[in-house]
Amino acid sequence: MPKARNGAVEIEYETFGDDRPETVLLVNGLGSQMTRWPEAFCEKLVARGYRAIRFDNRDTGLSTWFKPGDRYTLKDMAADAMAVLDAAGVRKAHIAGVSMGGMIVQRIAIDYPARVLSLTSIMSAPSGDVVATPDAMAVISNPPPDPAADYEAFVAHGVKNARTIGSPGYPWTDEELRARVVAEHARAFNPAGVGRQRQAIGADGDRTAELKGLQVPTVVLHGEADPLVQPVGGRETAAAIPGAELRLIPGMGHDLPPALYDTFVDAIVAAASRAKTNA
C-alpha cells in the first residue's frame, strides 16, 4: 500500500473508488488501525458516489511508531492527515472521524479550513475532558496481557474491552470480536502508542472557542449508550459548531458494528450533501 510523508513520519493509507469525483477522508480513534473502517464500510461510501481514504494514524498500525519519551499533538496528527490528502492528490475533502479521530477532524477543520468540504464528528467531543464510566475508562487505561506470554488471555481481554464499550443495541458475537482482535494483533501491535496519543489529546485542550468560528457543513453523530465518550460530548460538539446537526442514536455505544454502517454513511453523506447545496 502507498505511504504519505509528513517530515520523517510515514503514514500508511488505502483508497477506494478512485474514479469518484469527491473524497471522504476517514480518521480513526485512539490506538485503532485503519481496518476499523472495514472495506465493506468504505465500499458503501463508494456506492454512494464518494472516494474513500482510510489510514493508520501515527503510532498505530503500519505507520511510523514513536519511541518512549516522544511527544506530539493533535495538530501534528492533523498535519499527517493533510499529507495523506496530498499524497492521494486531493485538494479538498469531506472529513469524518471517530472518537480521537473526531477530535482530529475538528482540528483539521480549524487549522485547514480551505481543505475541508464537510465535517462529520462521530462519538467524539470538543476536548478530552468528557467523563467516562469507570468500566469504560479501564478499557483505555489498563494495558492488555502480554500476548507472547498468554495469547488467550490477551484475546479475552480484547473481547471483553470491545464488549464493555460496544453498542448494546447492536452487539457483535464473541466469534466476531475474537476474529477482530486476532486480525488486528497479526497486522500490528503497538500498545505504547495509546499513551502517546492520549497525551496528544490532552495537549490540544478545549477546542470549543475555535469550533465556534467554523463555517463548514457539519453532522455530529453520537450513541445514546456510549460509555466512553458519553453523549454530552456530542451535544457539546454540536452546540459549538454553527449550524451543526446532532444525530443521537439509541442503542449505539462506542464502536462501529456492521448494523450501523448505513447510519454512519448516511451521516457522512448528509454533511457532504449540505456542502454541495451550499456550493
Side-chain angles (χ1 to χ4, degrees):
M1 290 184 193
K3 280 185 164 63
R5 292 192 66 91
N6 177 21
V9 179
E10 290 189 334
I11 302 295
E12 181 90 357
Y13 72 95
E14 185 175 12
T15 66
F16 301 83
D18 290 345
D19 60 332
R20 300 305 194 265
E22 294 187 2
T23 295
V24 176
L25 183 69
L26 301 168
V27 187
N28 300 319
L30 182 71
S32 67
Q33 302 180 52
M34 68 178 176
T35 49
R36 288 290 180 95
W37 297 104
E39 289 188 21
F41 179 86
C42 295
E43 292 295 349
K44 281 183 174 289
L45 283 170
V46 174
R48 297 289 289 271
Y50 295 90
R51 183 189 192 192
I53 301 179
R54 63 181 187 175
F55 67 96
D56 288 326
N57 285 314
R58 59 172 61 196
D59 243 349
T60 306
L62 304 182
S63 292
T64 297
W65 295 2
F66 285 71
K67 298 177 182 178
D70 288 344
R71 288 181 177 270
Y72 47 82
T73 67
L74 291 191
K75 282 181 172 287
D76 296 319
M77 300 180 83
D80 293 342
M82 295 301 94
V84 170
L85 290 185
D86 290 343
V90 178
R91 187 171 64 89
K92 293 185 177 183
H94 306 282
I95 56 175
V98 294
S99 196
M100 180 189 73
M103 299 176 186
I104 293 171
V105 295
Q106 292 170 27
R107 175 51 61 195
I108 292 170
I110 293 165
D111 290 355
Y112 304 95
R115 304 200 67 174
V116 178
L117 293 169
S118 72
L119 168 64
T120 308
S121 180
I122 304 169
M123 58 180 105
S124 194
S127 76
D129 294 334
V130 176
V131 178
T133 66
D135 286 347
M137 181 56 68
V139 168
I140 61 173
S141 300
N142 295 341
D146 181 358
D150 191 339
Y151 186 72
E152 287 304 317
F154 167 79
V155 173
H157 176 87
V159 170
K160 179 184 177 182
N161 281 356
R163 184 75 68 206
T164 298
I165 65 173
S167 298
Y170 306 91
W172 302 69
T173 66
D174 284 348
E175 292 76 14
E176 289 170 332
L177 291 177
R178 177 185 173 87
R180 190 179 78 182
V181 172
V182 169
E184 290 181 348
H185 174 262
R187 184 173 184 265
F189 180 59
N190 182 34
V194 173
R196 289 186 287 269
Q197 290 183 352
R198 289 184 69 181
Q199 289 175 343
I201 292 171
D204 206 51
D206 190 332
R207 291 172 297 281
T208 299
E210 293 174 290
L211 292 173
K212 289 182 181 296
L214 294 183
Q215 298 294 325
V216 59
T218 300
V219 172
V220 177
L221 182 69
H222 215 105
E224 291 186 349
D226 191 333
L228 186 58
V229 180
Q230 295 191 62
V232 63
R235 295 190 181 99
E236 290 179 349
T237 303
I241 300 174
E245 175 191 351
L246 176 63
R247 298 186 176 193
L248 292 174
I249 309 302
M252 173 183 157
H254 201 81
D255 65 347
L256 173 51
L260 288 177
Y261 285 0
D262 287 335
T263 299
F264 279 50
V265 169
D266 286 346
I268 294 169
V269 171
S273 297
R274 285 174 56 191
K276 293 178 181 179
T277 301
N278 295 341

